[in-house]
Structures are given as structure tokens and as C-alpha cells.
Amino acid sequence: MPTTVAVAFRFFSLQVVRTRRLGPSLVRVTFGGEELADFRSDGLDQSLSLFLPQPGQRQPVVPIELGDGWWQGWRDLPDDVRAVMRSYTLRALRRNPDEIDIDFVLHGVEPDAAVPAGPASRWAAHAAAGDRVLLIGPSVADNRAIRFRPPADTDLVVVWGDGTAVPAVSAIVEALPAGTRARVWLEVEHRGDVQELTTAADAEVTWLVRAEHGAEGSPMALDAVRRAGLPDAERPYVWIAGESGCVKALRRHFVGERGIDRRRVTFVGYWRQGLTEEELRESGD
Ligand SMILES: Cc1cc2nc3c(=O)[nH]c(=O)nc-3n(C[C@H](O)[C@H](O)[C@H](O)COP(=O)(O)OP(=O)(O)OC[C@H]3O[C@@H](n4cnc5c(N)ncnc54)[C@H](O)[C@@H]3O)c2cc1C
């Protein structure tokens, strides 16, 4: 029996190294910092909790000096002081120098100004080298914030994600070994958001572009997936993430209409139309 238990997650204090626009509604922010030497992750859909400064602050305010009491201390801070906490995905981890990439959807920022912007989206749109953030990330490579876990006997991987899940899906598809059969759908706002995915797997990838269909949310995803024939498989594994109403509808489709064992379906609501992340968390959805 080991006498110590590895602490899987910890705070990392990082700064922006550079940013790169990947498309009209996606920006890649690269972070660096000495503390990344202790960052470990097996990637895939590795999620992170990011803490961002309020407008006018030079760094996010989180009372990490309180140790285990940081959460209560953070919640007790005034609304306009407390750092904004949002969930994001590790897109890439590199060494020499230690860097991580996070890809942000710019909702509510041109050219999608009709959609309400959120503080994280706004922050990412204006991020510049030297900007400071905190994140809670893994110090153990295989950790519970990785949810993509196909059972060993899986004979087909089925994946759907919207723009917020493009980073996770890209990392998942890149990691699929040769010989794996995969059927992948990605739904983005603009043609320019489509990215090249590299994989050794036998993967068929379909990009659905909302601006070209005039469709709002789930009908487009559901229609496309419903119409599609899936390759024959006895033990498929399904991973779905994105807008939570859409994710639920797709899960019902895979379990209810296609008869896939619900234990072989991983589904995660990444955001919900009309709710901020705080409101989504409070709703318990
Ligand atoms: C595990 C996990 C991993 C995630 N990974 C990523 C990631 O890698 N990249 C990424 O961009 N997002 C990711 N998300 C989603 C992201 O956390 C949410 O989109 C979040 O709401 C953005 O915060 P905000 O401050 O910009 O908007 P909020 O203040 O939370 O919301 C403001 C308004 O914008 C709406 N909104 C939120 N997101 C979107 C959107 N994408 N499109 C249109 N309207 C939106 C809300 O419904 C609300 O009305 C992830 C979420 C989870 C749970």
C-alpha cells in the first residue's frame, strides 16, 4: 500500500506566450510558465479549469494561499473582484520550452456579434503576450478529467462535437491508433473554422458549417447524424460534447433510436444556449 496518494490536480500560474487566429470564430492561445514542468496529461479530451482576470485587473484573483479553503474564499469575493472560472480543453502540451495550447471559440465577437459574448470569449479575443491566468490542471497524466474512454473491445468510435469540442475531438482523433474505425462529425460556425485533422485511424470526418445551412443548433446535427448510415459494428463507443440541448438530443438518438448500450455513450454538455457557465453549473445540468 503506498503511503502517499498523488494529488492529481493543482493550480498552475501561467502567462500568454502568443495567440494565433485559427478561423473566424476560433483563436489559439499558447501559455507558458515554469510551473508547467509539473503538468502531466494523456491529452484526449483533457479538461481544465481556467481562471481569468476581471476587466482592469492584471491577474486573476483566487485566494490559493488558503489551500483547501480556496474555493470558499473565492466564492466569498465580490463579483467584480473574483476571477472568472471557465472550463476549457488542453489542445496540446509541448516540452522544451514547456507550453500548452487552448483553443477558444469567439462567440459574441465579430463576426458573430449577434450571440451574447461571455467574459472568457472576450478575454480570448483580446489576449496578448504577458497576460496572466491561473488554471487547475493535471499533475498526473491519466486523470478523471479525461472522459474519452472507449472500452477495450470497441469496434467503432463515433464522435460528435460543436466548435467548443473541436479541440477535444482534434486531440482524440489524432490519438486514435491505426486500424481504429471512426465516424466523426464536427459542427462549426464558418467554413473558415474547418481545420485539417491528422490521424492514423480509419476515420471518416464530416464538417457541418452552420453559416451555410442557416440552421440554429441541434436540428442540423441531429438531421445529419440521423441521415448518416453508421458502419456495421457490434460494440460501438460514442462520445458527444457541445451545446447541452444538442448533446442530449444526440444521446437520445444513439441510445433510443440506434439501440447503442448507454454505458458505451460518453456525453458532456460543454455549454448551454442562454446560460452562462455559472448558471449552467448551478442548474446542475
Ligand atoms: C469540459 C469542458 C471543456 C470545454 N472546452 C472548451 C474549449 O476547448 N474551447 C471552447 O471554446 N469552449 C470550451 N468549453 C465551453 C466553454 O466553457 C463555454 O462555451 C463557456 O460558456 C464560455 O464562457 P464565456 O465566458 O465565453 O461565456 P458565458 O459567460 O459562459 O456565457 C455567455 C453567453 O454565451 C453563450 N455561449 C457560451 N458559449 C457559447 C458558444 N460556444 N457559442 C455560442 N454561445 C455561447 C451562453 O449560452 C451565454 O448566453 C468547454 C466546456 C466544458 C464543460
Side-chain angles (χ1 to χ4, degrees):
M1 217 24 206
T3 50
T4 55
V5 177
V7 178
F9 299 95
R10 52 158 281 185
F11 277 102
F12 292 86
S13 173
L14 305 179
Q15 62 275 338
V16 174
V17 176
R18 62 186 169 276
T19 68
R20 181 159 75 91
R21 198 68 177 242
L22 301 177
S25 42
L26 264 185
V27 66
R28 172 160 301 162
V29 182
T30 299
F31 298 91
E34 283 175 17
E35 296 183 3
L36 281 179
D38 296 326
F39 189 101
R40 305 268 183 284
S41 175
D42 284 341
L44 302 169
D45 58 343
Q46 174 75 64
S47 62
L48 311 166
S49 293
L50 187 61
F51 294 85
L52 301 168
Q54 296 280 353
Q57 292 175 341
R58 291 174 59 81
Q59 51 190 45
V61 180
V62 182
I64 52 177
E65 67 283 0
L66 298 179
D68 289 347
W70 76 267
W71 171 256
Q72 195 54 47
W74 172 77
R75 282 175 64 103
D76 291 345
L77 289 169
D79 287 351
D80 57 348
V81 174
R82 183 175 52 236
V84 176
M85 180 172 105
R86 292 288 183 267
S87 303
Y88 280 86
T89 304
L90 173 71
R91 175 63 186 91
L93 165 64
R94 287 179 298 278
R95 298 295 180 195
N96 301 316
D98 294 334
E99 289 182 346
I100 62 166
D101 294 334
I102 298 180
D103 294 350
F104 293 77
V105 170
L106 301 177
H107 63 95
V109 183
E110 291 293 346
D112 293 313
V115 185
S121 172
R122 254 194 312 267
W123 179 88
H126 299 109
D131 288 356
R132 305 190 62 87
V133 303
L134 274 171
L135 65 80
I136 297 180
S139 49
V140 173
D142 183 3
N143 59 75
R144 64 185 157 74
I146 296 175
R147 297 179 176 90
F148 179 84
R149 300 206 178 253
D153 62 358
T154 298
D155 58 358
L156 175 70
V157 173
V158 179
V159 171
W160 180 88
D162 69 13
T164 61
V166 165
V169 174
S170 305
I172 287 170
V173 169
E174 275 171 11
L176 290 176
T180 307
R181 290 187 310 154
R183 185 73 180 86
V184 178
W185 286 272
L186 281 159
E187 186 163 330
V188 290
E189 286 302 325
H190 301 281
R191 174 63 46 192
D193 295 326
V194 172
Q195 297 178 42
E196 191 77 29
L197 302 189
T198 48
T199 182
D202 175 11
E204 185 184 342
V205 181
T206 304
W207 289 86
L208 306 167
V209 179
R210 258 185 250 184
E212 292 171 6
H213 288 78
E216 289 248 334
S218 67
M220 188 175 164
L222 205 51
D223 286 355
V225 173
R226 251 202 200 113
R227 275 199 312 271
L230 284 184
D232 282 342
E234 285 179 13
R235 294 172 304 278
Y237 170 73
V238 181
W239 183 98
I240 320 164
E243 199 282 324
S244 100
C246 200
V247 165
K248 277 189 203 149
L250 285 165
R251 176 177 181 262
R252 271 198 301 273
H253 165 71
F254 283 116
V255 175
E257 294 174 30
R258 292 205 189 245
I260 296 178
D261 181 345
R262 65 183 62 242
R263 289 167 303 184
R264 304 183 72 100
V265 179
T266 301
F267 62 106
V268 193
Y270 273 13
W271 62 285
R272 173 126 151 238
Q273 195 79 52
L275 296 188
T276 65
E277 191 170 325
E278 288 87 359
E279 292 165 342
L280 179 59
R281 238 179 277 132
E282 276 156 28
S283 76
D285 206 354

